[in-house]
Amino acid sequence: MRLFLIGFAVFLLNSCAMSTSAPSKINGVSFVASRDSINSAHVNPIINLQANYVAIMPFGFIRNLEHPRITYNSNRQWFGETEGGVKQYANAFQSQQIRVMIKPQIWVSRGEFTGKIKMNSEEAWQELEETYSNFILDFARVAEETQVELFCLGTELETFVDHRPEFWLELINRIRKVYSGKLTYAANWNEYNRTPFWNQLDYIGIDAYFPVSDMQTPTVDDCKKGWAKYKPVLKLFSENINKPILFTEFGYRSVDYSGKRPWDSDRKMNAVNLEAQLNATQALLETFWGEHWFAGGFLWKWHHKYETSGGKQNFMFTPQNKPVEILVRDWYARY
């Protein structure tokens, strides 16, 4: 009887430790901000997906790169993009045991690619650095206040990083003083290998839009062959830096040639192909989710009104109400 009681106590302790420990993989979705607050009706579909993480993405806006002031936390923005909205979203997810990454992003007027942001003078660089610091540090404080597990300090800003590496090292130090959780940066798929500050972060974050197939309807095998040239490089990179790789974004559109230029969101590409999205996603999950050096990822992207999102006629990224949603749900349930 004594041995039984001891064994039962050990079992309880182990069960408690397991319930509070980090998940084996980050099975995440990128949650699109809206004009509304959210409640359990918006959270439950993510629970049903077997996801354990969401990325909340507040936005700042640059209207003119000649004077790169970032406007953010404005009453002209949608609620989910503001500090109050981020707090409300985080609390709604955390109340349902969904962990959170806060991932502030910037939008340049006319949709210019953020990776090409480059200033023409030292004065302009300093202006950008000042306003970007304010933007990021304010949301780092929100991340600390809400006790979220993960904070992403930038997304696809390769030229900014290339030209001003000292700024980024200093910014990381300043973030560490106000935020106690884990840090990452979302490098573009062709940027991560020259990002200079991975040693200062907890995860090597990559937006994983690697081209993997030229086929109109890529097969799982063809996409896995496409990944074969990247996977060993990613594994070695992770081992050399001694940090796990996290796909801060991953996913495919439900269109023809979905694996050829996975980053392309041009609405002129509108030939719906659900099988292409399904096969490309399956290949990615099969290639990475079982690897010990791979931390997981955030599926791009998820909208709050589940019933009216996605669907079999939708040609954009969301997996909602498409065959790929079932695939992701089953895969997330394994990890």
Side-chain angles (χ1 to χ4, degrees):
M1 184 67 178
R2 177 184 172 86
L3 289 174
F4 170 79
L5 291 173
I6 292 172
F8 185 68
V10 170
F11 170 78
L12 287 177
L13 287 171
N14 287 340
S15 297
C16 291
M18 288 174 63
S19 66
T20 57
S21 63
S24 60
K25 293 294 181 190
I26 293 175
N27 295 328
V29 296
S30 299
F31 191 78
V32 180
S34 79
R35 66 188 68 194
D36 307 315
S37 60
I38 63 170
N39 55 43
S40 59
H42 307 108
V43 177
N44 286 339
I46 294 176
I47 295 174
N48 293 339
L49 188 71
Q50 303 295 315
N52 54 29
Y53 256 93
V54 296
I56 299 173
M57 300 171 291
F59 269 81
F61 299 88
I62 297 178
R63 297 188 183 279
N64 182 356
L65 287 176
E66 295 297 320
H67 302 284
R69 306 300 299 177
I70 299 175
T71 302
Y72 63 98
N73 196 36
S74 164
N75 58 15
R76 298 178 64 183
Q77 291 182 242
W78 282 8
F79 174 70
E81 296 176 346
T82 65
E83 289 185 14
V86 169
K87 292 176 184 178
Q88 196 273 322
Y89 283 19
N91 290 333
F93 286 117
Q94 290 169 326
S95 70
Q96 298 297 320
Q97 287 71 56
I98 302 290
R99 298 174 184 235
V100 174
M101 174 174 73
I102 294 179
K103 185 172 178 269
Q105 297 185 215
I106 57 177
W107 179 267
V108 182
S109 180
R110 297 183 299 276
E112 295 183 50
F113 176 44
T114 54
K116 295 183 178 179
I117 292 175
K118 181 181 178 182
M119 300 297 102
N120 295 320
S121 68
E122 179 61 24
E123 181 181 11
W125 276 118
Q126 291 184 10
E127 184 177 15
L128 175 62
E129 290 174 354
E130 177 187 2
T131 191
Y132 190 81
S133 294
N134 293 338
F135 173 55
I136 290 298
L137 289 168
D138 279 350
F139 279 105
R141 294 183 186 98
V142 171
E144 180 66 17
E145 180 180 339
T146 52
Q147 290 294 288
V148 304
E149 287 79 8
L150 186 54
F151 184 77
C152 182
L153 55 94
T155 297
E156 298 179 7
L157 293 166
E158 55 189 286
T159 304
F160 189 178
V161 172
D162 287 343
H163 283 78
R164 310 293 283 192
E166 297 84 1
F167 162 77
W168 289 91
L169 292 170
E170 177 60 26
L171 179 61
I172 292 166
N173 289 333
R174 295 176 69 185
I175 294 170
R176 293 285 190 194
K177 291 177 181 177
V178 299
Y179 173 66
S180 57
K182 294 186 181 297
L183 293 180
T184 191
Y185 165 78
N188 204 10
W189 67 275
N190 57 355
E191 166 195 0
Y192 77 91
N193 58 356
R194 65 178 193 275
T195 303
F197 45 73
W198 294 127
N199 283 322
Q200 310 305 314
L201 305 181
D202 299 287
Y203 295 100
I204 300 166
I206 303 175
D207 287 356
Y209 301 113
F210 296 82
V212 292
S213 173
D214 289 336
M215 295 179 66
Q216 181 175 352
T217 301
T219 65
V220 174
D221 285 344
D222 192 60
C223 290
K224 290 177 78 171
K225 289 176 183 176
W227 278 114
K229 63 183 177 183
Y230 302 116
K231 182 180 178 181
V233 178
L234 290 166
K235 180 177 184 291
L236 182 61
F237 191 82
S238 172
E239 291 171 347
N240 287 341
I241 302 293
N242 196 28
K243 306 281 182 179
I245 285 177
L246 173 66
F247 283 173
T248 36
E249 294 176 19
F250 76 93
Y252 300 90
R253 290 178 58 190
S254 45
V255 292
D256 289 345
Y257 303 100
S258 60
K260 187 174 183 178
R261 293 168 55 88
W263 61 86
D264 197 339
S265 58
D266 186 350
R267 288 180 175 270
K268 293 178 182 178
M269 293 173 56
N270 55 15
V272 176
N273 191 330
L274 299 170
E275 185 180 356
Q277 181 185 45
L278 180 69
N279 290 346
T281 304
Q282 181 176 339
L284 184 150
L285 294 169
E286 289 185 3
T287 298
F288 291 102
W289 246 252
E291 298 296 335
H292 70 277
W293 48 269
F294 181 76
F298 292 86
L299 184 62
W300 186 265
K301 54 188 177 176
W302 194 274
H303 301 277
H304 76 300
K305 291 184 177 179
Y306 176 80
E307 292 78 8
T308 58
S309 298
K312 293 183 179 180
Q313 301 305 314
N314 179 273
F315 55 81
M316 297 305 287
F317 282 96
T318 182
Q320 291 165 276
N321 298 299
K322 299 176 184 178
V324 73
E325 181 182 348
I326 299 171
L327 168 74
V328 172
R329 182 189 66 203
D330 291 347
W331 203 271
Y332 277 7
R334 303 181 195 183
Y335 294 89

